[in-house]
Amino acid sequence: MTGFVAKLLTYTTAVSFFLGIVFSLFPYDYPLLWSTVPTPTAHFDAIESHLKLLHSAPNLIQRILHIMVAMGLGGLVFKLYKPTESNMLFDGGSLVLYMVAVIVYIANIVKGLRLVTDGTYGVGLGSLTEDQLDNVDRTGFDVDTGDSVLGREDNLKVLAASNTILALVLVGVLVLQIGQMYADRVDERTIKEYEAKAKAELEKKESEAASGHTVKRHTSGKEGKKTR
């Protein structure tokens, strides 16, 4: 049980670390995605300044982030060593969700941060013709050139949506792990109850057998005296 808790803490710490980062970005993302009030230009400037600061952070900060990513992934993979049925269900699902988070981080967030830092936004989807729109993939990049065609606002909204996806996926990982812990405790409780019941029945049978043997010996003694 101690080993299980240690493994659980390994990657729940990493997941909680990432959720903290995503939550710190929520005040910037909320006006872009859910606010009914038009987002002012000053807010876009504030978001860009914050994202540029994140992207230009010292190498030590980036290494700590990547170490936490590796620690979470390593913890999940290590838990799948000699897997049980519970591991395959809960840890397998957690690993899939975690890999989705890593892919979203690499494909959307890292690429989006580079665009914000460079300031090389596209012309925007509204400025494209029908033929040009057919050449754009789902992430807003030109299939042939690989350049982003999204404008400033659209790029920042994609980043905000990616942060939301990350938060949902990581919460899903925590929910699966909590579910596994609950299921394991229920199994342990059931096994203990079964063992206690089996032990009680065995003791009852042994006591009945012992009392029956005593009565038999007592009856045999009386019959011997009558025979004499």
Side-chain angles (χ1 to χ4, degrees):
M1 187 66 181
T2 305
F4 171 79
V5 173
K7 296 173 187 176
L8 184 63
L9 289 176
T10 299
Y11 57 83
T12 52
T13 301
V15 172
S16 301
F17 176 81
F18 300 139
L19 283 174
I21 295 176
V22 173
F23 184 76
S24 68
L25 296 171
F26 190 70
Y28 296 96
D29 297 338
Y30 181 82
L32 294 177
L33 299 178
W34 298 286
S35 178
T36 56
V37 179
T39 306
T41 305
H43 187 73
F44 290 111
D45 296 336
I47 295 174
E48 283 186 330
S49 299
H50 183 70
L51 295 177
K52 287 178 181 178
L53 179 64
L54 288 177
H55 189 247
S56 60
N59 291 332
L60 177 62
I61 305 298
Q62 298 178 14
R63 286 169 185 168
I64 291 175
L65 175 63
H66 295 154
I67 287 172
M68 296 299 291
V69 172
M71 186 175 74
L73 181 60
L76 283 170
V77 173
F78 187 60
K79 274 196 72 180
L80 285 172
Y81 177 70
K82 293 182 179 180
T84 61
E85 185 177 351
S86 175
N87 289 125
M88 293 298 294
L89 177 63
F90 291 100
D91 291 332
S94 298
L95 182 59
V96 170
L97 290 178
Y98 194 86
M99 289 307 300
V100 170
V102 172
I103 291 171
V104 170
Y105 168 71
I106 295 174
N108 286 3
I109 295 180
V110 173
K111 190 178 291 186
L113 288 175
R114 289 173 181 171
L115 289 174
V116 171
T117 302
D118 296 337
T120 54
Y121 299 115
V123 294
L125 294 176
S127 304
L128 299 179
T129 64
E130 290 296 331
D131 293 336
Q132 290 173 328
L133 286 173
D134 292 338
N135 204 39
V136 177
D137 62 14
R138 294 180 180 180
T139 58
F141 285 83
D142 191 296
V143 177
D144 294 333
T145 63
D147 298 330
S148 174
V149 299
L150 300 179
R152 179 193 190 194
E153 181 177 352
D154 291 329
N155 269 290
L156 294 177
K157 284 183 177 179
V158 168
L159 277 173
S162 299
N163 292 334
T164 303
I165 293 172
L166 271 182
L168 293 175
V169 169
L170 294 175
V171 168
V173 173
L174 292 180
V175 169
L176 284 176
Q177 294 306 309
I178 293 172
Q180 182 185 13
M181 182 180 293
Y182 176 77
D184 288 343
R185 288 188 176 182
V186 171
D187 289 342
E188 288 180 3
R189 192 183 307 122
T190 303
I191 292 173
K192 287 180 180 179
E193 291 176 355
Y194 175 79
E195 290 177 348
K197 185 178 179 181
K199 184 178 180 181
E201 291 179 353
L202 181 62
E203 291 176 351
K204 183 179 179 181
K205 289 180 180 179
E206 289 178 350
S207 62
E208 289 177 352
S211 60
H213 184 65
T214 303
V215 171
K216 185 176 180 181
R217 287 182 61 187
H218 186 66
T219 304
S220 300
K222 288 183 176 180
E223 289 177 354
K225 289 180 179 179
K226 290 180 180 180
T227 303
R228 289 180 184 176

